[in-house]
Amino acid sequence: MILLKNVSYLNIEKEKIEDNYDILIENNKISKISSKIDIKADKIIDCSGKLAVPAYTNGHTHLGMTMMRNLADDLDLNTWLNEKIWPVEDKLTSEDIYWASMLSIVENIKSGVGTVYDMYYSMDRVSDGIIESGIRGVLTRGMMDISGGGDERIDELLELYKNYHNSGNGRVKIVPAPHSIYTCSKEYLIKLMDIAASFDGVINTHLSETKKEVEDCLKEHSTTPAKYLNDLGMFDLKVVAAHCVHLTDEEIDLISEKDVYPIYNPSSNLKLASGFAPIDEMLKKGIKLGIGTDGSSSNNNQDLIEEMHIGSIVNKAVTLDATSVPAIEILKMATLNGGKLTGFNNGIIVENALADIALYDLNALGFTPKNNMISALCYSTNSNYVTDLIVDGKVIMENREILTVDEEKIKYEVNRLTEKLLKR
């Protein structure tokens, strides 16, 4: 039992900051929120000078790519993938991916992230890392068959689901993830859709990330990527779709009628020159958006708060409209919508929600003066202001110290293994 005393917190549904409350956490849920709670708790945290927010959801990442951070930069997506990233990925071992993922998890924790939506491989080891760290993960095995090995990947996915789905006190979920329309055949996409339907009805993919993807789809299938997937029946499932940079107005209308969650990846989209996702148009259509860092080889970090900052300002310049994509909408992507797209009962501070809460230091420079806390969370804060993280009712970071894993050992192992990797 944990009691947060004298805390201000973000009420994301009411779009306001609530001041001077106590929050009681029992087991893994928020059991009571009141102006005063007198109870003998196992742990009492004095939150005077602290701001509680729902722990963030990183809606799209590749945790295991951290060893390729700063390895291949200033390249377009196709050159970056085909000539730089994939050749190194072919050399990665499951041990490499485990330690790289652990480093990414540490970065996520330190930016207030309690849930990650990850796409990669060796996901059994990634699942182990999620369980050890104490955070939540929707873990999606990246699937492709164009270059062969599709059936083996399906066998791996089925075994992963059997062994890890709902493990770690329900903190791990396993979801099929066709990498993209250009790495998966039509027949393979349909197989994976059937598997997703037999699981929990959720599927994860990259969608309309580049102009080339759209142009190639038009040549090969005589339609655009989102329409192509819809015609195959994928949009009858719950779809978490990363990037969605080059959607047509017709596709935006289509997605608005379906259970599709586009994930905004502003840093990756900018750095790979993929373009500007039509975030303002999607918001106006009522589409539920998430936000994510993408992998550290294309971002090049896992700092979701930095992502929120960039995401909250770039569309204003693109649309030449300072009212475009306000701070509260970015916060909803990282919190309320994060809970919806992952299926966890989190992303919100209310009674009976899962106790996933990040605490900020209100005495930090970026909160001074305290004019508008919602603006501050997007426009003037950074991840160094996050002091504590509670996930599933347990404190996993306290005063910037991660309690569940050894940060120094993780950095040591990543440096050691990266040096070996680049010599192979």
Side-chain angles (χ1 to χ4, degrees), residues 309-372:
H309 181 205
I310 294 170
S312 64
I313 60 178
V314 69
N315 280 276
K316 300 177 188 303
V318 173
T319 61
L320 300 179
D321 179 2
T323 67
S324 174
V325 192
I328 191 65
E329 294 298 335
I330 291 288
L331 286 169
K332 286 179 181 178
M333 293 177 201
T335 58
L336 188 64
N337 291 355
K340 291 176 180 177
L341 71 93
T342 61
F344 291 116
N345 179 28
N346 62 2
I348 188 169
I349 298 178
V350 295
E351 292 178 0
N352 297 316
L354 288 168
D356 295 358
I357 296 171
L359 296 176
Y360 281 82
D361 176 11
L362 285 176
N363 293 315
L365 290 172
F367 283 111
T368 307
K370 298 175 179 58
N371 288 325
N372 185 321

Side-chain angles (χ1 to χ4, degrees), residues 262-299:
I263 307 300
Y264 185 24
N265 303 111
S267 291
S268 180
N269 296 342
L270 287 165
K271 184 164 174 287
L272 293 171
S274 299
F276 301 100
I279 301 301
D280 195 53
E281 291 90 336
M282 287 192 271
L283 287 174
K284 288 174 180 175
K285 291 290 184 177
I287 293 172
K288 301 177 289 292
L289 288 148
I291 188 167
T293 58
D294 209 351
S296 289
S297 55
S298 65
N299 182 300

Side-chain angles (χ1 to χ4, degrees), residues 59 117-119 138-141 143 157 174-180 184 188-207 229 232-242 259-263 341:
Y117 213 111
D118 185 41
M119 181 196 291
V138 181
L139 305 181
T140 73
R141 205 297 181 198
M143 310 288 285
L157 171 66
I174 304 299
V175 168
H179 174 269
S180 61
C184 296
Y188 198 61
L189 287 168
I190 291 170
K191 275 186 184 179
L192 293 173
M193 286 157 46
D194 290 341
I195 291 171
S198 72
F199 286 5
D200 289 349
V202 185
I203 200 162
N204 180 217
T205 192
H206 296 94
L207 178 62
L229 292 180
L232 292 182
M234 185 178 287
F235 287 2
D236 294 333
L237 300 164
K238 178 179 178 179
V239 181
V240 178
D259 196 18
V260 177
Y261 293 80
I263 307 300
L341 71 93

Side-chain angles (χ1 to χ4, degrees), residues 17-303:
I17 303 296
E18 308 278 7
D19 291 317
N20 300 317
Y21 278 84
D22 293 352
I23 299 175
L24 181 64
I25 296 169
E26 294 185 271
N27 298 316
N28 66 342
K29 291 186 177 180
I30 298 169
S31 62
K32 188 175 182 181
I33 301 174
S34 177
S35 57
K36 189 174 183 181
I37 299 174
D38 288 320
I39 195 167
K40 190 175 181 180
D42 301 311
K43 186 177 183 67
I44 298 175
I45 302 175
D46 182 5
C47 293
S48 304
K50 296 283 181 85
L51 174 66
V53 302
Y56 298 130
T57 293
N58 187 345
H60 177 68
T61 188
H62 307 285
L63 296 174
M65 297 186 79
T66 314
M67 286 184 181
M68 290 167 276
R69 190 204 313 268
N70 305 320
L71 182 65
D73 298 309
D74 306 322
L75 300 168
D76 66 272
L77 177 66
N78 288 300
T79 304
W80 176 78
L81 271 178
N82 289 289
E83 297 182 18
K84 299 294 183 179
I85 298 303
W86 283 343
V88 176
E89 279 189 330
D90 286 342
K91 301 175 185 178
L92 288 173
T93 67
S94 60
E95 183 184 19
D96 293 333
I97 292 171
Y98 168 78
W99 287 108
S101 297
M102 291 301 284
L103 184 64
S104 293
I105 288 168
V106 166
E107 279 191 86
N108 274 279
I109 289 171
K110 291 206 159 184
S111 63
V113 171
T115 306
V116 294
Y117 213 111
D118 185 41
M119 181 196 291
Y120 213 52
Y121 59 104
S122 291
M123 297 304 280
D124 54 340
R125 297 298 284 128
V126 181
S127 298
D128 292 337
I130 292 290
I131 293 168
E132 291 165 27
S133 69
I135 68 169
R136 302 184 193 278
V138 181
L139 305 181
T140 73
R141 205 297 181 198
M143 310 288 285
M144 54 186 77
D145 74 327
I146 292 297
S147 57
D151 289 340
E152 290 86 348
R153 291 184 181 97
I154 287 177
D155 291 341
E156 183 184 327
L157 171 66
L158 296 176
E159 189 70 12
L160 184 69
Y161 185 85
K162 175 184 173 183
N163 293 334
Y164 284 97
H165 187 63
N166 285 328
S167 61
N169 196 36
R171 289 185 288 108
V172 174
K173 295 184 179 185
I174 304 299
V175 168
H179 174 269
S180 61
I181 61 170
Y182 55 87
T183 55
C184 296
S185 66
K186 174 182 175 181
E187 295 74 22
Y188 198 61
L189 287 168
I190 291 170
K191 275 186 184 179
L192 293 173
M193 286 157 46
D194 290 341
I195 291 171
S198 72
F199 286 5
D200 289 349
V202 185
I203 200 162
N204 180 217
T205 192
H206 296 94
L207 178 62
S208 295
E209 184 174 359
T210 64
K211 283 186 178 180
K212 185 180 187 305
E213 178 184 336
V214 176
E215 290 165 357
D216 290 349
C217 187
L218 284 166
K219 287 176 186 176
E220 186 173 353
H221 305 293
S222 301
T223 189
T224 50
K227 290 182 69 179
Y228 171 65
L229 292 180
N230 183 62
D231 290 344
L232 292 182
M234 185 178 287
F235 287 2
D236 294 333
L237 300 164
K238 178 179 178 179
V239 181
V240 178
H243 299 291
C244 293
V245 176
H246 297 282
L247 297 176
T248 65
D249 290 343
E250 186 178 358
E251 287 177 314
I252 291 173
D253 287 337
L254 170 65
I255 285 173
S256 71
E257 298 170 357
K258 301 289 185 174
D259 196 18
V260 177
Y261 293 80
I263 307 300
Y264 185 24
N265 303 111
S267 291
S268 180
N269 296 342
L270 287 165
K271 184 164 174 287
L272 293 171
S274 299
F276 301 100
I279 301 301
D280 195 53
E281 291 90 336
M282 287 192 271
L283 287 174
K284 288 174 180 175
K285 291 290 184 177
I287 293 172
K288 301 177 289 292
L289 288 148
I291 188 167
T293 58
D294 209 351
S296 289
S297 55
S298 65
N299 182 300
N300 293 4
N301 62 51
Q302 293 290 296
D303 188 340

